[in-house]
PDB file of all heavy atoms in Angstrom:
ATOM      1  N   PHE A 212      93.578  76.518 110.168  1.00 94.00           N
ATOM      2  CA  PHE A 212      93.492  77.873 109.713  1.00 94.00           C
ATOM      3  C   PHE A 212      92.967  77.953 108.281  1.00 94.00           C
ATOM      4  O   PHE A 212      93.508  77.153 107.362  1.00 94.00           O
ATOM      5  CB  PHE A 212      94.939  78.571 109.871  1.00 94.00           C
ATOM      6  CG  PHE A 212      95.451  78.761 111.279  1.00 94.00           C
ATOM      7  CD1 PHE A 212      96.176  77.747 111.827  1.00 94.00           C
ATOM      8  CD2 PHE A 212      95.117  79.801 111.838  1.00 94.00           C
ATOM      9  CE1 PHE A 212      96.658  77.795 113.096  1.00 94.00           C
ATOM     10  CE2 PHE A 212      95.569  80.069 113.194  1.00 94.00           C
ATOM     11  CZ  PHE A 212      96.364  79.001 113.811  1.00 94.00           C
ATOM     12  N   ILE A 213      92.079  78.762 107.980  1.00 94.00           N
ATOM     13  CA  ILE A 213      91.550  79.045 106.681  1.00 94.00           C
ATOM     14  C   ILE A 213      91.810  80.507 106.351  1.00 94.00           C
ATOM     15  O   ILE A 213      91.342  81.442 107.079  1.00 94.00           O
ATOM     16  CB  ILE A 213      90.044  78.773 106.429  1.00 94.00           C
ATOM     17  CG1 ILE A 213      89.852  77.209 106.649  1.00 94.00           C
ATOM     18  CG2 ILE A 213      89.624  79.089 105.096  1.00 94.00           C
ATOM     19  CD1 ILE A 213      88.396  76.768 106.592  1.00 94.00           C
ATOM     20  N   LEU A 214      92.690  80.833 105.443  1.00 94.00           N
ATOM     21  CA  LEU A 214      93.027  82.141 105.041  1.00 94.00           C
ATOM     22  C   LEU A 214      92.307  82.549 103.746  1.00 94.00           C
ATOM     23  O   LEU A 214      92.557  81.909 102.700  1.00 94.00           O
ATOM     24  CB  LEU A 214      94.530  82.300 104.882  1.00 94.00           C
ATOM     25  CG  LEU A 214      95.390  82.254 106.100  1.00 94.00           C
ATOM     26  CD1 LEU A 214      95.438  80.748 106.669  1.00 94.00           C
ATOM     27  CD2 LEU A 214      96.750  82.800 105.900  1.00 94.00           C
ATOM     28  N   VAL A 215      91.460  83.631 103.878  1.00 94.00           N
ATOM     29  CA  VAL A 215      90.600  84.040 102.754  1.00 94.00           C
ATOM     30  C   VAL A 215      91.180  85.375 102.219  1.00 94.00           C
ATOM     31  O   VAL A 215      91.339  86.248 102.904  1.00 94.00           O
ATOM     32  CB  VAL A 215      89.137  84.312 103.190  1.00 94.00           C
ATOM     33  CG1 VAL A 215      88.359  84.739 102.007  1.00 94.00           C
ATOM     34  CG2 VAL A 215      88.574  83.035 103.792  1.00 94.00           C
ATOM     35  N   GLU A 216      91.515  85.346 100.961  1.00 92.00           N
ATOM     36  CA  GLU A 216      92.053  86.539 100.196  1.00 92.00           C
ATOM     37  C   GLU A 216      91.643  86.477  98.760  1.00 92.00           C
ATOM     38  O   GLU A 216      91.668  85.405  98.131  1.00 92.00           O
ATOM     39  CB  GLU A 216      93.667  86.469 100.350  1.00 92.00           C
ATOM     40  CG  GLU A 216      94.336  87.689  99.651  1.00 92.00           C
ATOM     41  CD  GLU A 216      93.808  89.028 100.170  1.00 92.00           C
ATOM     42  OE1 GLU A 216      93.975  89.347 101.327  1.00 92.00           O
ATOM     43  OE2 GLU A 216      93.316  89.827  99.283  1.00 92.00           O
ATOM     44  N   LYS A 217      91.241  87.600  98.312  1.00 87.00           N
ATOM     45  CA  LYS A 217      90.646  87.664  96.856  1.00 87.00           C
ATOM     46  C   LYS A 217      91.758  87.751  95.743  1.00 87.00           C
ATOM     47  O   LYS A 217      91.498  87.644  94.653  1.00 87.00           O
ATOM     48  CB  LYS A 217      89.633  88.724  96.757  1.00 87.00           C
ATOM     49  CG  LYS A 217      90.096  90.217  96.742  1.00 87.00           C
ATOM     50  CD  LYS A 217      88.924  91.132  96.563  1.00 87.00           C
ATOM     51  CE  LYS A 217      89.544  92.611  96.479  1.00 87.00           C
ATOM     52  NZ  LYS A 217      88.410  93.527  96.107  1.00 87.00           N
ATOM     53  N   VAL A 218      92.912  88.205  96.196  1.00 83.00           N
ATOM     54  CA  VAL A 218      94.003  88.361  95.145  1.00 83.00           C
ATOM     55  C   VAL A 218      95.130  87.464  95.407  1.00 83.00           C
ATOM     56  O   VAL A 218      95.336  87.024  96.497  1.00 83.00           O
ATOM     57  CB  VAL A 218      94.425  89.878  95.129  1.00 83.00           C
ATOM     58  CG1 VAL A 218      93.281  90.771  94.759  1.00 83.00           C
ATOM     59  CG2 VAL A 218      95.114  90.355  96.485  1.00 83.00           C
ATOM     60  N   THR A 219      95.964  87.327  94.382  1.00 80.00           N
ATOM     61  CA  THR A 219      97.181  86.512  94.576  1.00 80.00           C
ATOM     62  C   THR A 219      98.155  87.324  95.414  1.00 80.00           C
ATOM     63  O   THR A 219      98.437  88.503  95.209  1.00 80.00           O
ATOM     64  CB  THR A 219      97.765  86.190  93.175  1.00 80.00           C
ATOM     65  OG1 THR A 219      96.851  85.461  92.389  1.00 80.00           O
ATOM     66  CG2 THR A 219      99.049  85.345  93.378  1.00 80.00           C
ATOM     67  N   THR A 220      98.839  86.609  96.375  1.00 83.00           N
ATOM     68  CA  THR A 220      99.671  87.367  97.231  1.00 83.00           C
ATOM     69  C   THR A 220     101.117  86.816  97.348  1.00 83.00           C
ATOM     70  O   THR A 220     101.239  85.506  97.320  1.00 83.00           O
ATOM     71  CB  THR A 220      99.036  87.276  98.761  1.00 83.00           C
ATOM     72  OG1 THR A 220      97.715  87.692  98.754  1.00 83.00           O
ATOM     73  CG2 THR A 220      99.849  88.102  99.675  1.00 83.00           C
ATOM     74  N   ARG A 221     102.130  87.648  97.256  1.00 80.00           N
ATOM     75  CA  ARG A 221     103.416  87.134  97.303  1.00 80.00           C
ATOM     76  C   ARG A 221     103.971  87.168  98.701  1.00 80.00           C
ATOM     77  O   ARG A 221     103.345  87.821  99.619  1.00 80.00           O
ATOM     78  CB  ARG A 221     104.312  88.123  96.475  1.00 80.00           C
ATOM     79  CG  ARG A 221     103.857  88.247  95.033  1.00 80.00           C
ATOM     80  CD  ARG A 221     104.722  89.237  94.282  1.00 80.00           C
ATOM     81  NE  ARG A 221     106.106  88.867  94.195  1.00 80.00           N
ATOM     82  CZ  ARG A 221     107.057  89.663  93.827  1.00 80.00           C
ATOM     83  NH1 ARG A 221     106.855  90.847  93.493  1.00 80.00           N
ATOM     84  NH2 ARG A 221     108.412  89.192  93.763  1.00 80.00           N
ATOM     85  N   PHE A 222     105.023  86.404  98.895  1.00 81.00           N
ATOM     86  CA  PHE A 222     105.739  86.348 100.210  1.00 81.00           C
ATOM     87  C   PHE A 222     104.785  85.808 101.373  1.00 81.00           C
ATOM     88  O   PHE A 222     104.723  86.430 102.493  1.00 81.00           O
ATOM     89  CB  PHE A 222     106.372  87.682 100.587  1.00 81.00           C
ATOM     90  CG  PHE A 222     107.217  88.201  99.523  1.00 81.00           C
ATOM     91  CD1 PHE A 222     106.834  89.445  98.872  1.00 81.00           C
ATOM     92  CD2 PHE A 222     108.327  87.532  99.010  1.00 81.00           C
ATOM     93  CE1 PHE A 222     107.610  89.957  97.936  1.00 81.00           C
ATOM     94  CE2 PHE A 222     108.995  88.015  97.980  1.00 81.00           C
ATOM     95  CZ  PHE A 222     108.718  89.251  97.442  1.00 81.00           C
ATOM     96  N   LYS A 223     103.921  84.868 101.104  1.00 86.00           N
ATOM     97  CA  LYS A 223     103.005  84.315 102.095  1.00 86.00           C
ATOM     98  C   LYS A 223     103.762  83.621 103.179  1.00 86.00           C
ATOM     99  O   LYS A 223     104.719  82.880 102.885  1.00 86.00           O
ATOM    100  CB  LYS A 223     102.017  83.420 101.257  1.00 86.00           C
ATOM    101  CG  LYS A 223     101.123  84.018 100.387  1.00 86.00           C
ATOM    102  CD  LYS A 223     100.115  83.107  99.746  1.00 86.00           C
ATOM    103  CE  LYS A 223     100.698  82.147  98.791  1.00 86.00           C
ATOM    104  NZ  LYS A 223     101.114  82.797  97.608  1.00 86.00           N
ATOM    105  N   VAL A 224     103.418  83.845 104.441  1.00 87.00           N
ATOM    106  CA  VAL A 224     104.050  83.064 105.596  1.00 87.00           C
ATOM    107  C   VAL A 224     103.362  81.786 105.892  1.00 87.00           C
ATOM    108  O   VAL A 224     103.959  81.004 106.592  1.00 87.00           O
ATOM    109  CB  VAL A 224     104.195  83.984 106.775  1.00 87.00           C
ATOM    110  CG1 VAL A 224     104.888  85.176 106.469  1.00 87.00           C
ATOM    111  CG2 VAL A 224     102.759  84.381 107.337  1.00 87.00           C
ATOM    112  N   ASP A 225     102.092  81.608 105.508  1.00 81.00           N
ATOM    113  CA  ASP A 225     101.489  80.408 105.894  1.00 81.00           C
ATOM    114  C   ASP A 225     102.162  79.079 105.269  1.00 81.00           C
ATOM    115  O   ASP A 225     101.961  78.032 105.795  1.00 81.00           O
ATOM    116  CB  ASP A 225      99.970  80.402 105.432  1.00 81.00           C
ATOM    117  CG  ASP A 225      99.760  80.984 104.159  1.00 81.00           C
ATOM    118  OD1 ASP A 225     100.049  82.188 103.986  1.00 81.00           O
ATOM    119  OD2 ASP A 225      99.255  80.276 103.260  1.00 81.00           O
ATOM    120  N   GLY A 226     102.900  79.254 104.182  1.00 75.00           N
ATOM    121  CA  GLY A 226     103.523  78.163 103.531  1.00 75.00           C
ATOM    122  C   GLY A 226     104.620  77.600 104.354  1.00 75.00           C
ATOM    123  O   GLY A 226     105.200  76.582 104.153  1.00 75.00           O
ATOM    124  N   LYS A 227     105.090  78.370 105.331  1.00 77.00           N
ATOM    125  CA  LYS A 227     106.190  77.921 106.326  1.00 77.00           C
ATOM    126  C   LYS A 227     105.681  77.054 107.427  1.00 77.00           C
ATOM    127  O   LYS A 227     106.553  76.528 108.152  1.00 77.00           O
ATOM    128  CB  LYS A 227     106.881  79.280 106.820  1.00 77.00           C
ATOM    129  CG  LYS A 227     107.362  80.106 105.771  1.00 77.00           C
ATOM    130  CD  LYS A 227     108.159  81.344 106.446  1.00 77.00           C
ATOM    131  CE  LYS A 227     108.634  82.290 105.406  1.00 77.00           C
ATOM    132  NZ  LYS A 227     109.225  83.581 105.967  1.00 77.00           N
TER     133      LYS A 227
END
Side-chain angles (χ1 to χ4, degrees):
F212 294 90
I213 294 177
L214 288 75
V215 181
E216 177 58 58
K217 70 176 182 179
V218 297
T219 303
T220 307
R221 300 176 65 191
F222 310 118
K223 299 182 286 288
V224 298
D225 41 296
K227 299 178 182 178

